[in-house]
Amino acid sequence: MDGATSTLRITPLSEHIGAEVTGIDLKQPLDPETKAKLNQALLDHIALVIRDQSFSAPEYAEAVRAFGKPMMQHYSQYQTPDNEFVNFISNQHTNDKGERVKHGASWHTDHTNHECPPKCTVLYAVELPKEGGDTGILNTRAGYDSLLDDYKQKLDGLKTINVFQGRAALRESTKQVTERDAKKYSEAMVQPLIRTHPETGKKAVYFHTVKVDTIEGMEPDETRVLLEDVLGRINKPEFIYRHKWRLGDMLIWDNRSAMHQAYYDYDTSQPRTLMRIILEGDKPF
Ligand SMILES: [Fe+2]
């Protein structure tokens, strides 16, 4: 047993979601046992908050390799100058109308318009407001399990059609889509509304509230009504981990079992900056 394994502590934060990880410095090389423990904890608890880290963008991009391989993100305008895999998420970003951009202000999962969307999303706090600016993670595996059998049957087999900005969007995005991104990601991608986790075999609800254009065979309005209904049923307080940020926190969650959102119920004149990385995933099924 080396130093990392002997000090590592993984403490569940609630019955359904979240665990706190302490006693580890992800800048140090990890032995296979420690890596396996962390990855198992992520599968079990869906979201991990790893305390007391200290990263530059390149160090951060290296550290997340304990969980997977970083992949390129949308919105290249937010890329950090010193690492192409790391994007800034800031409440001070503005669009071409001069409006403040609201990153991830409703429940969603990331990059569903990719054939292989990211298996995990990772955030690291750089600058925080005095209070608030929380990130929520919703356990959509428990959400799916809680649905009535008839309703599950109705959803099983449905497919969402995903584009950069969907017509059935439950929220309009305030972010600027650059010409480069629009061209690069012009293809529509079909994804299952209920996906099966490739490692645990468990089913979960899976959709992006901005990127879904329609459910296959439905109109945008009908799609929106159905997705709002699904979200209304699974969005229960006991399935949510609401992360209150501390400097040094690295938050990672499993997109194959979760949706996430940023809470905007705080004074947004105070800067909030996070660094985001997404990790390569498989084709959902
Ligand atoms: Fe997101």
Side-chain angles (χ1 to χ4, degrees), residues 130-145:
K130 273 201 195 91
E131 55 180 337
D134 304 344
T135 299
I137 319 288
L138 169 63
N139 179 342
T140 56
R141 173 173 87 194
Y144 176 79
D145 285 345

Side-chain angles (χ1 to χ4, degrees), residues 92-120:
Q92 305 301 303
H93 286 150
T94 52
N95 61 23
D96 64 349
K97 295 181 199 129
E99 300 161 341
R100 288 260 184 85
V101 166
K102 286 188 169 180
H103 292 279
S106 60
W107 292 112
H108 68 285
T109 183
D110 289 336
H111 290 51
T112 50
N113 59 325
H114 285 235
E115 187 178 13
C116 297
K119 69 168 187 172
C120 292

Side-chain angles (χ1 to χ4, degrees), residues 36-159:
K37 268 190 191 168
L38 289 171
N39 280 280
Q40 188 58 49
L42 184 58
L43 290 177
D44 294 342
H45 301 289
I46 299 174
L48 299 181
V49 48
I50 304 179
R51 302 284 190 195
D52 307 316
Q53 304 303 301
S54 167
F55 299 132
S56 64
E59 285 167 344
Y60 176 38
E62 192 52 41
V64 298
R65 287 180 186 271
F67 296 96
K69 230 173 126 197
M71 64 184 263
M72 296 295 285
Q73 310 185 38
H74 296 156
Y75 305 107
S76 48
Q77 68 267 38
Y78 301 136
Q79 223 170 59
T80 57
D82 45 359
N83 193 284
E84 61 180 1
F85 292 118
V86 184
N87 274 24
F88 283 124
I89 304 280
S90 165
N91 63 1
Q92 305 301 303
H93 286 150
T94 52
N95 61 23
D96 64 349
K97 295 181 199 129
E99 300 161 341
R100 288 260 184 85
V101 166
K102 286 188 169 180
H103 292 279
S106 60
W107 292 112
H108 68 285
T109 183
D110 289 336
H111 290 51
T112 50
N113 59 325
H114 285 235
E115 187 178 13
C116 297
K119 69 168 187 172
C120 292
T121 298
V122 198
L123 296 175
Y124 170 68
V126 174
E127 186 179 26
L128 295 171
K130 273 201 195 91
E131 55 180 337
D134 304 344
T135 299
I137 319 288
L138 169 63
N139 179 342
T140 56
R141 173 173 87 194
Y144 176 79
D145 285 345
S146 74
L147 297 172
L148 297 170
D149 283 344
D150 284 358
Y151 196 77
K152 280 183 187 163
Q153 273 167 24
K154 181 178 150 178
L155 303 185
D156 278 336
L158 293 182
K159 307 245 184 266

